[in-house]
Amino acid sequence: MSKIVKKTEIELKNIIEQAVKKAVSNGALPEAEMPQFNIEKPANKDNGDYSTNVAMAGARAFKKVPRMIAEAIVSCIDLEGTAFERVEIAGPGFMNFRLGDKWFGDTVTAIETAGEDYGCS
């Protein structure tokens, strides 16, 4: 896995965790332990650049339907200054994230910085 992809996934995990904490602190979600959740790159690009099941994973802990959990989390997400441009709720509560211009700019900079070594294993 490239450093850029790993960095992006770590950033997304932090964004989601901060939004869950904010949703709990403002009362949109009840106090509960942070659920274990997955972040993946969907096979179908219509489902975003990254997707998470955090709302479905938290259904038991938060005692709410996943879609309501997703709505509470999305309302607390701040993407300002991140690699991500937007987030959408799909189906029963999946959250799909789209990369923005910042990610593309950071990627080009990383490639330029690597110089001739870029792509070497």
Side-chain angles (χ1 to χ4, degrees):
M1 179 183 304
S2 78
K3 290 179 185 179
I4 297 168
V5 171
K6 186 67 172 167
K7 178 182 171 194
T8 304
E9 289 178 0
I10 290 168
E11 180 181 34
L12 182 54
K13 184 176 190 281
N14 290 335
I15 290 167
I16 294 165
E17 288 175 348
Q18 290 303 312
V20 170
K21 289 175 185 174
K22 187 174 178 183
V24 168
S25 72
N26 73 18
L29 292 176
E31 189 74 38
E33 188 174 323
M34 179 72 67
Q36 295 242 335
F37 60 92
N38 297 323
I39 294 173
E40 62 182 31
K41 295 184 87 167
N44 182 345
K45 284 296 185 185
D46 291 341
N47 295 325
D49 297 302
Y50 286 90
S51 181
T52 184
N53 68 340
V54 66
M56 288 169 285
R60 180 172 289 178
F62 295 122
K63 297 178 176 69
K64 292 184 180 264
V65 296
R67 183 112 187 155
M68 290 177 69
I69 295 168
E71 290 168 355
I73 295 169
V74 166
S75 73
C76 294
I77 284 180
D78 180 13
L79 298 178
E80 184 76 27
T82 71
F84 298 91
E85 182 176 79
R86 69 180 191 272
V87 58
E88 303 154 344
I89 301 171
F94 284 102
M95 294 166 49
N96 299 328
F97 291 81
R98 305 270 179 193
L99 293 167
D101 293 340
K102 182 181 181 320
W103 181 84
F104 292 104
D106 290 350
T107 301
V108 169
T109 300
I111 292 168
E112 288 175 341
T113 303
E116 293 179 18
D117 292 336
Y118 181 76
C120 294
S121 301

